[in-house]
Amino acid sequence: MRKQRGLHMNISAQVGSLEVEVALGMGSETLVLAGPNGAGKTTLLLLLLGALPCKKAHIQIGETLVADSASNLHVPTEDRHIGYVPQEYALFPHLSVRENVAFALRSRSSQKKSLVEKQVEAALQNFGIAALADKKTCILSGGEKQRVALSRALSLKPHALLLDEPLSALDICTRKSTREFLLGTLKNLSVPSIVVTHDAAEARMLGQRIAIMESGKITQMDTWEALSKNPKSAFVEAFVSGSNCLTHKCE
Amino acid sequence: MRLKFQKYILHAVGFSLAAFLMFPVLALFVASAPHGLLAGLQHPLVWPALRLSIFTTSSSLLVVVLLGTPLAWSLAQSKRTTGQLVETLLQLPLVIPPSVAGIAMLLAFGSRGLLGALVHPMGTSAFTTAAVVMAQVFVSAPLFIQSASSAFRRMDSKLIVVAQTFGASPFRIFFRVALPLALPGLAAGAALSWSRALGEFGATLMFAGNLEGKTQTLPLAIYTAFQTDIGAAQAISIILVLVAFALLLLVKVFMKKAEKNP
Amino acid sequence: MKNNPSLLASCLQKMGLCAALLLGSNCTCQNSTTPAQQEKLVVFAAASLREVFNTMGESFRRAHPNVELAFHFAGSQELRAQMEYGAVADVFASADLHHMERLAQQGYVHTPTIFTQNKLAVVVEKASAPHIQTLADVPSASRIVVGIAEVPVGQYTLQLLTQMGEAFKTGIEAKIVSREFSAKQILAKVRMGEAQVGFVYWTDALSAPELAVVPIPDNLNPVAQYPIAILRNSPHPLLAQAWVRFVLSEAGQSILESAGFVPLEAKHPTGN
């Protein structure tokens, strides 16, 4: 049952000078996607969203097939029901917090105004940002922005959630508390989620499994323990040993 | 000491150009006596030309903004090579001399023009007030399109992807996300476009002709007056400069308001 | 770079040779026959004189090889405005007496002499208006182009219309779609088919044989008298005199006549 509600992808694409070839399957878990800069992590997220063209693709989310090049199926981004929180959150700068969340809800449903308002209030409450409702997004702190972005993405009950470096925009001290909050949110989700990070401590904490992406390909995908015991590439070795992690100093 | 000196040099170099630009405008205002200006205001060509200029430039601005904004949006979203090629072509009216633009419009829309027979089977599009608007649109639209498309490009592309994940339609993204964010750039482009249209002369003379009340805009009136009475030409020129200045101020005020309440 | 001083030297040598060739060819162009300094003669002339003065200029240059002849053609009113604001020229040839007299009054020119005459012609674009055969038919055109009142051709047109009577004048004015700044512009618009009828000079009509010409009775057609004068601030008064002499000479007059200008001796009966 849980496996059926997962995410399965088989993607082959050429984006700029990078050739991306990824085939993986996951359940309703949190998968961490880690790798060096330029490996294609953000690109993979965009490919999953359908925002970039693929040469060949077969993507299934839950029970829905959203892409299948064999049958010329390419569901547009608007209909894939995937929540997306980019690096630096992409909040609409000209709208307040409430309007940001309302934008998401109004875009999808054509429900009555009063119903949407109720949903907006509920979403704000759930993420503890009701007090910020009328503030403009540019004055929020990093942690507050992340809550708004998550609230916005999750208010539509997506079938999958993609987070791109959710904590890298935060200063080291905010990171810890925000990481706890994020972990709680992810644990309460019942849909597959992919978190991109280059920070080993985050990877270890947030994901059940970690997929290492290098030069457009997944070189290893396993639990943290398995990766530590059996690193298959130089990057993985450095990654698990924590030598490219800056946050250790704060611990 | 050396640091201050270098700062002064930089300011002085820039100031010399600013002075060169301001001086003729100053001379326009100062080199005529006040009664000369009043006499100029009473010149029979002035008021019909002023009304016509305001009417035609407002119409051409409306056309340019209504049609140019979606065009700029399409250009900003298109793939690099096609988009850049089309954009370069769209800038051609800027480098063509205005009178050449006028001839080109005659060849396209005139009585023997390519589209002339379709638009006006019994006559010509030339010599009409609509022709004035057409000439103004032709020379001023590229300025708006350039400004607008770079304003759209400056937008964070992730905002669009995120909006799409919410299921927002292309209309919703255009009207609710792109337009409000690009508004300052659009307003700046509109100001440039409007002032270019206000000063348009060569293409108008060639394509629309020169008839009081119908096609004689302020620049044409100035040139007509200049034929015999430079004083009158000067007075009408001052009016044109004042109108242009007022329009630019109007746009700046609008822009500031837009920035405060997006 | 460091190891090829000879290469650099030979490059420089070649560049030097090229430069010398270029300069030399320029030099030979200028002083082929006479070592005398080139004098420049600037003639401001009405736009209607463009072709005929260019032809006359060729003859003049053959007779005066060390003279650089420069023409500036524009509407007579424009040229007068430029001279009033300090433009430097040697000779002014106007298409009407009015602008010349104003300049003479203000002391810009020496006494002018009338050197030729012109008359008006009504040109018609055959394809779009085949029904316009006589002057009386002209008000039935849908697009007529004339000159602005300040340009000589426009002023003469006004005279003609007044002579033809109030009804005719109103009829024509209702069909005017544009007032141009020179006769050449009027001609161009008719030739392009944008205007059906244009009021231009007879000499312009001759240069556009594809257009039909509506005959204007001589007793109604205004006589356009063209005066020529030497400017008081001319830097080359002797040369200016030579040009004026040439224009008034038999040779000059015959060139004017073959271009369609009305010779001075021909006196046709005027309306008033």
Side-chain angles (χ1 to χ4, degrees):
Chain A
M1 243 343 233
R2 286 190 83 190
K3 236 195 170 161
Q4 268 180 351
R5 298 187 65 205
L7 184 139
H8 301 268
M9 70 176 94
N10 194 333
I11 296 175
S12 171
Q14 180 84 31
V15 179
S17 56
L18 186 68
E19 248 195 71
V20 176
E21 301 253 1
V22 170
L24 64 88
M26 56 187 283
S28 301
E29 57 182 290
T30 301
L31 176 73
V32 167
L33 188 61
N37 281 332
K41 308 188 293 288
T42 308
T43 309
L44 183 62
L45 294 190
L46 290 172
L47 288 166
L48 276 172
L49 286 167
L52 289 174
C54 301
K55 280 191 291 194
K56 271 190 281 183
H58 182 94
I59 306 172
Q60 182 165 352
I61 306 178
E63 286 155 19
T64 325
L65 195 62
V66 295
D68 185 24
S69 37
S71 54
N72 255 332
L73 174 70
H74 179 91
V75 175
T77 314
E78 288 88 334
D79 298 323
R80 288 198 183 190
H81 295 270
I82 303 178
Y84 176 46
V85 178
Q87 220 168 349
E88 304 193 11
Y89 317 120
L91 298 180
F92 298 127
H94 60 298
L95 301 176
S96 68
V97 167
R98 176 179 282 123
E99 286 164 345
N100 261 277
V101 180
F103 184 94
L105 284 164
R106 287 207 194 102
S107 294
R108 177 117 10 224
S109 62
S110 48
Q111 294 169 332
K112 270 197 286 189
K113 219 179 173 183
S114 49
L115 208 62
V116 170
E117 275 172 20
K118 279 191 183 163
Q119 287 175 324
V120 169
E121 292 307 317
L124 293 174
Q125 288 283 359
N126 285 342
F127 284 84
I129 46 173
L132 305 169
D134 293 309
K135 299 222 167 131
K136 281 273 187 286
T137 56
C138 42
I139 58 165
L140 300 177
S141 71
E144 288 166 341
K145 280 187 187 171
Q146 201 208 68
R147 289 184 193 222
V148 177
L150 280 172
S151 150
R152 201 174 57 165
L154 293 173
S155 63
L156 290 172
K157 307 210 183 338
H159 300 168
L161 182 66
L162 307 177
L163 302 172
D164 195 348
E165 307 261 14
L167 302 168
S168 63
L170 305 173
D171 63 87
I172 293 174
C173 297
T174 330
R175 228 178 260 191
K176 196 172 171 213
S177 54
T178 316
R179 198 164 55 195
E180 306 282 346
F181 174 79
L182 186 57
L183 185 61
T185 312
L186 291 171
K187 279 195 171 144
N188 289 332
L189 277 183
S190 54
V191 294
S193 57
I194 300 179
V195 179
V196 169
T197 184
H198 61 263
D199 184 297
E202 274 167 33
R204 189 174 178 180
M205 198 177 166
L206 294 173
Q208 278 91 51
R209 287 192 288 169
I210 301 163
I212 305 287
M213 190 166 183
E214 290 177 76
S215 304
K217 307 199 179 23
I218 306 285
T219 49
Q220 198 171 359
M221 180 163 140
D222 221 322
T223 60
W224 174 268
E225 289 72 30
L227 286 179
S228 320
K229 279 187 193 164
N230 205 5
K232 282 185 184 166
S233 75
F235 174 80
V236 181
E237 209 175 313
F239 189 69
V240 295
S241 70
S243 63
N244 62 353
C245 168
L246 296 168
T247 54
H248 263 181
K249 290 184 188 153
C250 208
E251 305 282 332
Chain B
M1 204 48 226
R2 185 174 65 97
L3 298 172
K4 267 199 174 169
F5 179 67
Q6 286 189 357
K7 269 192 190 171
Y8 286 145
I9 293 288
L10 284 174
H11 287 317
V13 168
F15 179 76
S16 61
L17 180 63
F20 175 74
L21 294 175
M22 290 286 96
F23 197 64
V25 180
L26 194 68
L28 194 63
F29 280 83
V30 164
S32 73
H35 63 83
L37 176 59
L38 285 172
L41 281 174
Q42 290 163 357
H43 197 283
L45 295 179
V46 172
W47 295 105
L50 180 62
R51 274 197 301 271
L52 190 71
S53 271
I54 292 185
F55 172 70
T56 51
T57 53
S58 308
S59 309
S60 58
L61 181 69
L62 205 64
V63 169
V64 165
V65 170
L66 285 180
L67 300 182
T69 310
L71 174 60
W73 177 236
S74 306
L75 286 173
Q77 295 211 292
S78 67
K79 288 195 174 64
R80 279 205 180 151
T81 39
T82 346
Q84 272 183 2
L85 182 67
V86 174
E87 254 194 278
T88 314
L89 287 173
L90 288 175
Q91 282 171 30
L92 276 177
L94 286 176
V95 297
I96 297 176
S99 29
V100 172
I103 296 175
M105 297 193 81
L106 278 176
L107 292 173
F109 306 113
S111 67
R112 288 201 205 126
L114 292 175
L115 287 176
L118 282 172
V119 177
H120 260 228
M122 292 315 288
T124 177
S125 307
F127 306 130
T128 55
T129 310
V132 178
V133 176
M134 283 164 77
Q136 288 174 353
V137 169
F138 188 81
V139 302
S140 66
L143 288 168
F144 177 76
I145 296 168
Q146 246 179 356
S147 193
S149 60
S150 62
F152 283 131
R153 281 208 187 87
R154 273 198 297 272
M155 250 180 57
D156 184 3
S157 57
K158 296 272 162 54
L159 289 173
I160 300 173
V161 178
V162 163
Q164 284 174 328
T165 61
F166 300 150
S169 65
F171 271 6
R172 195 171 161 78
I173 295 178
F174 177 66
F175 285 109
R176 301 291 182 142
V177 180
L179 262 187
L181 290 175
L183 207 57
L186 296 181
L192 272 178
S193 181
W194 202 352
S195 43
R196 175 69 186 87
L198 194 62
E200 171 34 47
F201 174 79
T204 315
L205 179 60
M206 204 55 87
F207 183 48
N210 176 37
L211 196 68
E212 222 184 275
K214 202 168 177 197
T215 54
Q216 189 178 72
T217 53
L218 272 175
L220 284 170
I222 292 170
Y223 194 63
T224 306
F226 177 79
Q227 304 296 307
T228 43
D229 185 355
I230 295 191
Q234 193 177 351
I236 309 178
S237 302
I238 292 177
I239 294 172
L240 179 64
V241 170
L242 289 174
V243 171
F245 191 64
L247 288 177
L248 283 174
L249 270 182
L250 199 71
V251 177
K252 291 261 158 156
V253 165
F254 174 75
M255 269 170 72
K256 278 218 161 139
K257 272 197 172 170
E259 265 169 47
K260 277 187 190 164
N261 319 315
Chain C
M1 258 87 53
K2 216 172 122 183
N3 301 331
N4 296 312
S6 53
L7 185 63
L8 183 62
S10 73
C11 266
L12 285 173
Q13 233 182 8
K14 284 183 189 154
M15 280 165 63
L17 276 172
C18 290
L21 270 170
L22 280 168
L23 286 171
S25 56
N26 268 344
C27 287
T28 46
C29 257
Q30 279 185 351
N31 328 343
S32 52
T33 46
T34 46
Q37 233 182 0
Q38 273 237 318
E39 278 195 82
K40 190 170 175 183
L41 183 68
V42 176
V43 177
F44 277 15
S48 45
L49 293 166
R50 181 184 289 267
E51 289 86 4
V52 70
F53 264 28
N54 276 327
T55 314
M56 289 165 77
E58 282 168 28
S59 305
F60 190 80
R61 281 190 194 96
R62 279 195 290 273
H64 301 81
N66 59 332
V67 173
E68 193 191 321
L69 192 53
F71 292 114
H72 177 40
F73 297 109
S76 314
Q77 75 287 0
E78 262 195 73
L79 296 169
R80 172 191 141 201
Q82 285 174 13
M83 282 181 277
E84 281 170 345
Y85 268 73
V88 174
D90 299 292
V91 181
F92 176 43
S94 169
D96 72 359
L97 296 170
H98 168 72
H99 294 296
M100 183 65 86
E101 273 162 15
R102 293 301 294 268
L103 283 176
Q105 272 168 18
Q106 295 172 75
Y108 285 100
V109 294
H110 294 289
T111 317
T113 323
I114 297 176
F115 69 100
T116 194
Q117 297 175 125
N118 207 343
K119 56 184 180 176
L120 289 186
V122 179
V123 289
V124 178
E125 212 273 313
K126 283 189 232 181
S128 63
H131 57 283
I132 299 180
Q133 310 272 350
T134 69
L135 209 51
D137 297 329
V138 175
S140 68
S142 51
R143 300 188 302 280
I144 302 177
V145 175
V146 299
I148 55 170
E150 292 81 3
V151 73
V153 71
Q155 188 57 234
Y156 293 132
T157 307
L158 211 57
Q159 282 175 29
L160 173 66
L161 292 180
T162 316
Q163 291 242 22
M164 293 291 296
E166 200 53 45
F168 185 80
K169 187 174 173 208
T170 322
I172 297 276
E173 279 179 353
K175 303 299 181 72
I176 291 176
V177 287
S178 185
R179 295 182 205 275
E180 303 291 329
F181 296 102
S182 81
K184 300 288 181 206
Q185 287 176 2
I186 302 170
L187 193 69
K189 296 246 164 135
V190 179
R191 289 175 99 165
M192 284 192 83
E194 297 310 316
Q196 292 175 322
V197 175
F199 283 75
V200 297
Y201 287 117
W202 175 249
T203 45
D204 296 317
L206 290 178
S207 71
E210 76 275 15
L211 299 176
V213 180
V214 168
I216 305 176
D218 275 346
N219 61 331
L220 294 169
N221 205 344
V223 175
Q225 296 189 303
Y226 283 45
I228 190 167
I230 300 173
L231 273 78
R232 280 190 199 274
N233 68 350
S234 159
H236 313 97
L238 292 173
L239 266 180
Q241 278 173 28
W243 173 256
V244 174
R245 263 201 310 274
F246 175 61
V247 167
L248 293 169
S249 70
E250 252 192 66
Q253 290 290 305
S254 76
I255 298 176
L256 282 161
E257 201 176 331
S258 45
F261 285 88
V262 177
L264 290 170
E265 295 77 33
K267 295 244 188 272
H268 47 83
T270 49
N272 50 343

